[in-house]
Amino acid sequence: MSAPRLDGERLLARLKELGAIGRGADGRLVRLAASDADKTGRDALVGWIEAAGLEVAVDRIGNVFGIWRAGANPQADPVLLGSHIDTVIDAGIYDGCTGVLAGLGVIEALKEAGVVPARPIAVAAFTNEEGVRYAPDMLGSLVNAGGLQVDEALAVIGTDGTVLGEELARIGYAGPHEPGFLRPHAYVELHVEQGPVLEREGLRLGAVENLQGISWQRVTIVGEANHAGTTPMGLRRDAGAAAARVIGFLRDRARASNTPTVATVGSIAFEPNAINVIPSKAVFTVDLRDPDEARLQAEEAALVVYLREIATSEQVEVSVERLARFEPVRFDPRLVALIEDAARRHGLPWRRMTSGAGHDAQMMARIAPSAMIFVPSRGGISHNPREFTADADVVAGAQVLLDVAMALATPHSPHPEPRPAGP
Ligand code: HGY
Ligand code: MN
Ligand code: MN
């Protein structure tokens, strides 16, 4: 057995190839869950998994698995690596794909080195992690973890009126396996940080020990359409102005607090959406997050009180629909320590940190010891075509993932001496 070598060039080439799938004539990368572009991306991934000689398995919610049933007990619970390959709108190429492709690269490196693990190792690409087309986000891993019944998930209606289950069938990824058919021995996810911390502190790697809670809601405000020119200001029931007050309230409250609370209104629509008509309806989404569950609940409660006040003062009707609600998660300290050991061995300056973004790992932590590895995002930018992580950081993160996978799947083997993984 030779020391496993992570093929950095192959990983980077695949990352860029996958990053071109779903790029429109306008140059924007859009690979929404269960779309034609997602199918093309999934097909490319399945091709690489098959070429690696792994078993391909797809479950009923469309989660794709590449399984290396190696070792003394091929049916043992696998060490599971992974993330997602669906994107947001006008996305970067690193979010999610880095973890899936690095996970595949780790398995290939171990296979090619002749390593005989004590248990299988698998890689997953979970369906609809972004939640842009279908809510909630992390849907595939949530179902996999038993947090939502698969039939309920398949019935989810998208922002475009499509039904998730029908779209998965249309793209050929309504698989036969029951979600949860693989119970991981452990789950490790490599992901770009999507924030400014590592770069700002001059660090190369994050050992993620916890992940903040997420609250997604859709707010509908109904007022009364009227003439923009003839209606006196005091006689208006302006749904648009009411929505604007709520957006300002959320932003000002989060900014004023000296806590990590963040609040975002990322999408909004007016009806009838005409320049000279007072909006009769405003529909917008609210994304609240905080690492502390009690504070997150307090933010949700404050919004309820404010919406009541707006309903009275603006004489509008307000209704709220919950889209997603996930409590903060702490990852497994033993896995976090393995990540730190690997970072130390590779001479990568690192720190422990919290994830501001949601990830599949927060669902997998419900059913298996889980942790995450972060690599720096240039300028802290993500969910934006300017999203960028240096090649050397992508490869270094993958090498750490390899070490952690080795430690979990071949517990009695000495850690491979760090070798230049390239490029
Ligand atoms: O919303 C999130 O944090 C993740 O990108 N789905
Ligand atoms: Mn992601
Ligand atoms: Mn994302």
Side-chain angles (χ1 to χ4, degrees):
M1 177 191 104
S2 60
R5 179 187 178 282
L6 194 288
D7 186 336
E9 279 155 25
R10 177 170 57 189
L11 167 57
L12 295 168
R14 287 173 176 167
L15 195 55
K16 291 176 177 72
E17 186 175 338
L18 190 50
I21 295 174
R23 195 170 296 282
D26 58 5
R28 300 194 319 165
L29 175 59
V30 183
R31 199 167 58 236
L32 300 185
S35 62
D36 291 338
D38 188 28
K39 169 181 176 46
T40 309
R42 287 163 172 263
D43 291 349
L45 174 64
V46 167
W48 291 324
I49 291 173
E50 286 172 337
L54 308 185
E55 173 192 332
V56 176
V58 180
D59 71 16
R60 291 181 57 206
I61 196 65
N63 295 323
V64 175
F65 298 87
I67 309 167
W68 180 28
R69 289 207 183 275
N73 178 358
Q75 298 311 319
D77 292 344
V79 171
L80 184 61
L81 315 174
S83 192
H84 63 94
I85 65 167
D86 65 306
T87 73
V88 295
I89 297 168
D90 201 7
I93 69 167
Y94 297 89
D95 180 353
C97 300
T98 301
V100 174
L101 296 175
L104 177 56
V106 162
I107 295 172
E108 289 171 312
L110 296 174
K111 280 189 83 196
E112 288 155 7
V115 168
V116 180
R119 60 178 61 254
I121 307 176
V123 60
F126 290 109
T127 297
N128 191 51
E129 189 278 346
E130 293 295 1
V132 169
R133 189 182 184 196
Y134 302 98
D137 56 348
M138 285 81 75
L139 185 53
S141 50
L142 176 66
V143 171
N144 184 77
L148 183 65
Q149 288 307 308
V150 61
D151 290 323
E152 196 179 335
L154 292 170
V156 167
I157 308 287
T159 52
D160 54 3
T162 58
V163 182
L164 176 55
E166 293 171 8
E167 283 293 278
L168 285 171
R170 183 182 66 81
I171 67 167
Y173 281 90
H177 289 276
E178 280 305 315
F181 78 98
L182 272 188
R183 287 203 63 84
H185 169 69
Y187 176 77
V188 188
E189 180 168 352
L190 169 64
H191 205 288
V192 293
E193 179 200 342
Q194 300 181 291
V197 173
L198 292 175
E199 181 184 66
R200 190 176 56 201
E201 298 183 13
L203 302 172
R204 298 274 317 272
L205 193 117
V208 185
E209 54 186 351
N210 66 319
L211 192 152
Q212 65 180 345
I214 299 176
S215 164
W216 278 8
Q217 300 173 75
R218 180 183 291 122
V219 178
T220 300
I221 297 180
V222 176
E224 182 180 51
N226 213 328
H227 196 295
T230 58
T231 313
M233 293 309 287
L235 298 180
R236 296 178 177 215
R237 296 179 55 231
D238 184 339
R245 286 183 59 190
V246 177
I247 295 171
F249 165 79
L250 288 164
R251 205 264 311 243
D252 295 347
R253 182 179 163 89
R255 276 177 125 176
S257 78
N258 60 352
T259 67
T261 307
V262 287
T264 312
V265 174
S267 66
I268 189 165
F270 285 168
E271 287 182 12
N273 201 35
I275 186 168
N276 56 359
V277 180
I278 299 167
S280 57
K281 184 187 252 188
V283 182
F284 57 94
T285 55
V286 176
D287 178 322
L288 290 171
R289 307 199 192 195
D290 195 300
D292 179 274
E293 175 62 15
R295 269 203 314 260
L296 187 55
Q297 288 180 17
E299 293 311 305
E300 289 175 318
L303 178 59
V304 168
V305 170
Y306 189 72
L307 288 175
R308 273 199 212 109
E309 192 272 317
I310 283 286
T312 309
S313 60
E314 298 287 345
Q315 298 178 64
V316 292
E317 285 96 55
V318 180
S319 58
V320 179
E321 178 194 355
R322 179 175 292 296
L323 297 177
R325 181 60 166 89
F326 302 126
E327 293 195 4
V329 163
R330 296 207 69 77
F331 291 128
D332 188 296
R334 294 164 303 171
L335 269 63
V336 177
L338 286 177
I339 293 166
E340 291 179 315
D341 288 348
R344 202 178 286 118
R345 227 183 357 269
H346 288 278
L348 299 169
W350 89 94
R351 60 162 285 170
R352 289 189 171 216
M353 59 196 298
T354 296
S355 173
H359 296 289
D360 293 307
Q362 80 190 88
M363 302 307 164
M364 299 307 288
R366 299 181 183 200
I367 57 171
S370 300
M372 294 190 73
I373 302 164
F374 274 177
V375 287
S377 292
R378 185 170 64 186
I381 297 284
S382 184
H383 286 187
N384 178 313
R386 289 176 40 230
E387 181 182 282
F388 178 80
T389 293
D391 288 353
D393 288 337
V394 169
V395 176
Q399 186 69 57
V400 166
L401 185 68
L402 186 152
D403 283 17
V404 174
M406 276 277 281
L408 292 166
T410 55
H412 308 304
S413 65
H415 281 293
E417 278 314 305
R419 292 176 57 191

